[in-house]
């Protein structure tokens, strides 16, 4: 069912409040108010006449709505500043209230009622666009192509509505390729309405095209949050809501590892469960509502001291300076030391079970490797579309690592099969095929108790094995435990502080690392509880420590 509230009409009193944030301009029919692909567009509120909204489709444009007095155009890009997915044209002569992006963000912080209206309606419109699939973003490629998959994952995890078409089997794809002059060698390609197609785009090119990273070089902030999973987003929301200037970076997309969870059922306040993607989208919108500058995919490759602040060197050599830093980079699923693993990544091997992957493997056999809650959630979700789901894990008893409610649910599903004391041994693919056609076709696993082997014909393996902290970019003098997780607070010993030349008389606070005003929260921290709720708690609580530390520097 589409969201109910995709429009709202401001009354005269509300319009007067809105005018304090913008400028009234007169326009004639045909005037372009905002362009498709334009970043940081104005919030456009119709005062008289009509404004019309168009979405490009192939080489044509389709009108998807019109706004009358008191109504506003746009979707979430109005709030985030990302590239607009539509064009707004004046349909009938009249007046438009233009609220510049910077003023619109001020409005969201200063007026709670108007903020609630905008956030609610813009979010509903984005969801409607995703469900209706009438937008202008089309990905033409192949399901088993890893480049095509990475493009679709990026768009999906950033909540950008798009339609995926197979160049081999979909007549519409072939028709669009003909209209746009695209050849097979140009694929995968991303069509953006009437804008030029993106041919074999890199992740960086996609990010630039959709305005996902608008952070300038030499930017500054009070707080830089590295990682936009539950811990990082919580820290971002609480820090920004308390008046701090916050920049949040993520190497992939908001949500972190939790963003790939199909359904989280034990998170407080969601009795029917919530998907990781939905939780991440809500949190990132909430953060940006309070003024957080969110940029992803953006990697960080180095950290250094810069007088009384810190300097982050990004993957493309831009620099970001901040007075305090929150490291919330989390942990990644471990890559098994098995032959041909890299060959099949993106071509049958996946590290998350989202609706996109579930659609790919409908009515087929799949295998889930792992015995944690993420593996259980993924197996439950995949069982709804897959023919059968095999859960393969090394332990003898899955209850040692998986919550009881998940185990019981899995035991009740007739198409789920448990394989305890079992390890993945070999991957099998198409022999002698072109590289672009190469994909996983079967796997072999071995029972460690009796040594028996079993071959399973499947083209889909979902890995949920262990956790490796994302700390390899940090300085050697910042202390980690033997597994690479960051030490904080009481876990830091005298030798850790000596190695880092700890300069303060006080000891590090509970989430502070061996470098002052650099904090670690969530899964990246040693001895943390690997749960979404605890990550959110740490991210929110750390803000009080940041405030206290920044007050110290102000007094120096």
């Amino acid at each position: 069912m589409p969201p109910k509230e995709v429009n709202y009409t401001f009354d005269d009193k509300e319009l007067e409040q809105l005018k304090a944030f913008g400028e009234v301009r007169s326009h004639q029919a045909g005037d372009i108010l905002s362009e498709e692909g334009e970043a940081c567009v104005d919030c456009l509120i119709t005062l008289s006449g009509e404004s019309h909204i168009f979405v490009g489709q192939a080489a044509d444009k389709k009108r998807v709505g019109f706004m009358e007095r008191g109504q506003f155009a746009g979707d979430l890009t109005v709030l985030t500043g990302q590239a607009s997915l539509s064009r707004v044209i004046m349909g009938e002569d009249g007046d438009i209230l233009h609220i510049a992006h910077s003023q619109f963000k001020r409005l969201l912080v200063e007026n709670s009622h108007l903020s609630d209206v905008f956030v609610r309606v813009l979010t509903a419109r984005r969801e409607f666009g995703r469900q209706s699939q009438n937008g202008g973003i089309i990905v033409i490629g192949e399901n088993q192509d890893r480049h095509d998959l990475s493009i679709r994952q990026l768009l999906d995890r950033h909540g950008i509505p798009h339609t995926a078409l197979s160049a081999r089997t979909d007549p519409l794809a072939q028709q669009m390729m003909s209209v746009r002059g695209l050849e097979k060698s140009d694929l995968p390609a991303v069509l953006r309405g009437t804008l030029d197609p993106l041919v074999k785009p890199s992740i960086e090119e996609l990010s630039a095209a959709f305005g996902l990273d608008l952070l300038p070089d030499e930017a500054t902030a009070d707080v830089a949050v590295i990682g936009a999973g539950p811990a990082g987003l919580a820290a971002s929301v609480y820090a920004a809501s308390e008046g701090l200037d916050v920049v949040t970076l993520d190497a992939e997309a908001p949500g972190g590892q939790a963003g790939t969870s199909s359904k989280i059922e034990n998170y407080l306040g969601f009795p029917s469960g919530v998907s990781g993607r939905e939780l991440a989208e809500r949190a990132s919108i909430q953060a940006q509502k309070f003024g957080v500058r969110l940029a992803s995919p953006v990697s960080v490759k180095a950290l250094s001291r810069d007088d009384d602040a810190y300097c982050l060197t990004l993957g493309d050599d831009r620099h970001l300076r901040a007075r305090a830093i929150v490291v919330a980079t989390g942990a990644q699923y471990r890559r098994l030391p098995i032959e041909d693993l890299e060959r099949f990544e993106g071509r049958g091997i996946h590290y998350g079970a989202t609706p996109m992957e579930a659609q790919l493997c409908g009515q087929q056999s799949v295998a889930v490797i792992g015995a944690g809650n993420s593996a259980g959630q993924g197996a439950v979700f995949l069982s709804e579309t897959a023919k059968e789901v095999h859960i393969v894990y090394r332990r003898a008893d899955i209850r040692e690592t998986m919550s009881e409610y998940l185990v019981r649910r899995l035991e009740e599903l007739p198409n789920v099969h448990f394989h305890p004391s079992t390890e993945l041994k070999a991957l099998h693919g198409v022999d002698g095929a072109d590289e672009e056609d190469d994909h996983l076709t079967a796997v072999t696993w071995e029972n460690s108790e009796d040594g028996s082997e079993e071959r399973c014909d499947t083209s889909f393996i979902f890995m949920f094995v262990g956790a490796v902290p994302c700390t390899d970019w940090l300085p050697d003098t910042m202390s980690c435990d033997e597994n690479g997780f960051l030490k904080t607070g009481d876990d830091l010993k005298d030798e850790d502080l000596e190695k880092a030349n700890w300069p303060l008389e006080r000891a590090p606070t509970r989430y502070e690392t061996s470098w002052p005003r650099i904090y670690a929260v969530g899964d990246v921290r040693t001895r943390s509880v690997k749960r979404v709720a605890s990550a959110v708690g740490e991210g929110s609580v750390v803000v009080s420590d940041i405030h206290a530390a920044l007050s110290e520097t102000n007094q120096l």
Side-chain angles (χ1 to χ4, degrees):
M1 293 292 291
K4 293 181 180 179
E5 189 171 15
V6 295
N7 212 345
Y8 183 91
T9 302
F10 291 113
D11 59 29
D12 291 344
K13 180 180 178 181
E14 291 168 325
L15 289 174
E16 287 303 314
Q17 292 177 315
L18 288 164
K19 287 178 183 178
F21 295 91
E23 176 186 358
V24 178
R25 302 178 197 168
S26 297
H27 292 279
Q28 295 181 332
D31 286 355
I32 297 174
L33 305 180
S34 67
E35 269 289 11
E36 190 176 27
E38 182 182 353
C40 297
V41 298
D42 293 349
C43 175
L44 301 168
I45 304 169
T46 302
L47 301 179
S48 61
E50 287 184 0
S51 58
H52 293 186
I53 295 90
F54 289 86
V55 171
Q57 294 187 324
D60 199 4
K61 297 188 294 292
K62 175 184 178 182
R63 195 181 82 167
V64 295
F66 63 92
M67 298 298 150
E68 299 177 306
R69 176 174 171 78
Q71 298 176 341
F72 59 96
D75 78 336
L76 268 179
T77 56
V78 175
L79 185 152
T80 64
Q82 296 171 2
S84 175
L85 304 181
S86 61
R87 168 188 274 194
V88 183
I89 300 176
M90 202 66 187
E92 295 180 1
D93 294 357
D95 293 337
I96 299 292
L97 174 60
H98 289 251
I99 302 179
H101 183 65
S102 58
Q103 293 301 304
F104 183 68
K105 298 193 80 170
R106 183 170 72 87
L107 180 158
L108 293 177
V109 174
E110 294 181 5
N111 191 304
S112 176
H113 166 66
L114 297 177
S115 174
D116 289 345
V117 171
F118 280 115
V119 171
R120 188 171 65 245
V121 174
L122 295 175
T123 303
R125 286 179 182 171
R126 173 58 63 89
E127 184 59 28
F128 177 73
R130 190 155 46 204
Q131 293 182 18
S132 62
Q133 294 189 334
N134 67 350
I137 311 301
I138 297 173
V139 181
I140 300 178
E142 286 302 330
N143 289 343
Q144 293 293 347
D145 177 70
R146 65 176 59 159
H147 192 175
D148 176 85
L149 184 63
S150 67
I151 290 171
R152 294 167 58 195
Q153 286 177 331
L154 178 75
L155 298 177
D156 187 63
R157 294 195 65 183
H158 281 86
I160 298 174
H162 64 281
T163 302
L165 301 178
S166 168
R168 293 185 184 182
T169 62
D170 199 311
L172 181 58
Q174 297 161 9
Q175 177 186 345
M176 288 185 171
M177 289 175 64
S178 177
V179 170
R180 292 302 188 93
L182 296 173
E183 303 292 337
K184 182 180 177 182
S185 59
D186 296 323
L187 303 181
V190 180
L191 307 186
R192 301 174 296 152
T194 56
L195 300 175
D196 291 337
L198 299 172
V199 175
K200 290 185 174 179
S202 66
I203 294 302
E204 292 74 20
E205 290 170 334
L206 275 175
S207 177
F210 288 99
L212 305 179
D213 173 15
L214 300 174
L215 189 70
D217 190 17
E218 302 298 337
T220 61
D222 292 326
V223 183
V225 180
I226 318 301
L233 288 172
S236 302
V237 167
Y238 279 88
S241 68
E242 294 183 16
L244 294 174
D245 180 22
V246 181
V247 171
T248 301
L249 311 175
D250 195 278
E252 295 182 0
Q257 195 179 103
T260 65
S261 296
S262 54
K263 195 174 186 180
I264 304 169
E265 293 191 73
N266 58 353
Y267 187 64
L268 186 67
F270 291 88
S272 299
V274 60
S275 72
R277 186 182 74 176
E278 182 183 359
L279 191 63
E281 285 181 350
R282 291 187 180 193
S284 60
I285 292 168
Q286 188 177 20
Q288 291 173 94
K289 164 189 166 181
F290 284 117
V292 173
R293 289 174 284 169
L294 178 60
S296 69
V298 175
S299 62
V300 179
K301 65 180 183 182
L303 166 67
S304 60
R305 289 186 172 94
D306 184 16
D307 292 330
D308 62 344
Y310 292 103
C311 179
L312 294 166
T313 302
L314 308 187
D316 58 2
D317 291 325
R318 281 178 294 170
H319 293 95
L320 167 65
R321 287 172 173 78
R323 300 169 64 202
I325 292 175
V326 177
V327 180
T329 47
Q332 296 178 330
Y333 290 118
R334 195 178 301 276
R335 300 172 79 235
L336 293 177
I338 187 170
E339 187 176 355
D340 287 332
L341 180 73
E342 185 176 353
R343 170 190 169 191
F344 294 119
E345 286 181 325
R347 293 174 177 163
I349 292 180
H350 305 276
Y351 293 90
T354 69
M356 186 176 70
E357 286 85 15
Q359 184 181 21
L360 294 176
C361 61
Q363 294 307 306
Q364 299 188 54
S365 296
V366 305
V368 173
I369 314 299
N373 275 7
S374 294
Q377 291 159 356
V380 169
F381 179 66
L382 292 168
S383 70
E384 298 174 4
T385 55
K387 178 182 177 182
E388 56 184 3
V389 179
H390 298 273
I391 305 179
V392 179
Y393 49 98
R394 297 172 59 184
R395 295 176 181 271
D397 186 0
I398 198 170
R399 284 179 165 83
E400 293 179 15
T401 52
M402 188 178 293
S403 296
E404 181 66 22
Y405 82 93
L406 274 173
V407 178
R408 290 184 179 181
R409 184 158 301 170
L410 290 167
E411 289 175 338
E412 294 172 357
L413 296 172
N415 61 337
V416 172
H417 309 286
F418 294 87
H419 300 269
S421 305
T422 301
E423 295 185 49
L424 192 63
K425 298 298 291 185
L427 307 171
H428 312 286
V430 177
D431 295 326
D434 293 336
E435 183 179 352
E436 65 181 29
D437 296 323
D438 193 18
H439 62 275
L440 187 72
T441 58
V443 299
T444 298
W445 53 66
E446 179 184 64
N447 186 285
S448 59
E449 293 185 351
D450 58 20
S452 62
E453 292 188 354
E454 181 180 352
R455 181 184 173 105
C456 177
D457 293 330
T458 177
S459 296
F460 300 94
I461 297 290
F462 295 87
M463 298 281 193
F464 299 95
V465 183
V468 179
C470 302
T471 54
D472 55 355
W473 58 279
L474 291 166
D476 293 337
T477 56
M478 190 171 292
S479 293
C480 298
D481 66 15
E482 64 275 11
N483 295 313
F485 292 90
L486 270 169
K487 290 183 179 181
T488 62
D490 293 341
D491 287 312
L492 290 166
K493 307 304 180 186
D494 289 342
E495 54 266 30
D496 296 319
L497 301 182
E498 291 174 4
K499 181 175 68 172
N501 293 318
W502 179 263
L504 304 179
E505 293 184 3
R506 67 167 176 82
T509 55
R510 51 195 157 177
Y511 300 119
E512 199 167 18
T513 68
S514 55
W515 284 34
R517 303 191 315 281
I518 296 184
Y519 306 85
V521 294
D523 290 359
V524 74
R525 189 178 65 83
T526 188
R527 296 199 300 131
S528 64
V529 179
K530 305 298 187 285
R531 290 289 185 270
V532 173
S534 62
V536 170
E538 291 184 13
S540 58
V541 168
V542 75
V543 175
S544 61
D545 295 345
I546 294 173
H547 270 296
L550 292 180
S551 297
E552 286 179 351
T553 62
N554 291 336
Q555 295 169 4
L556 294 178

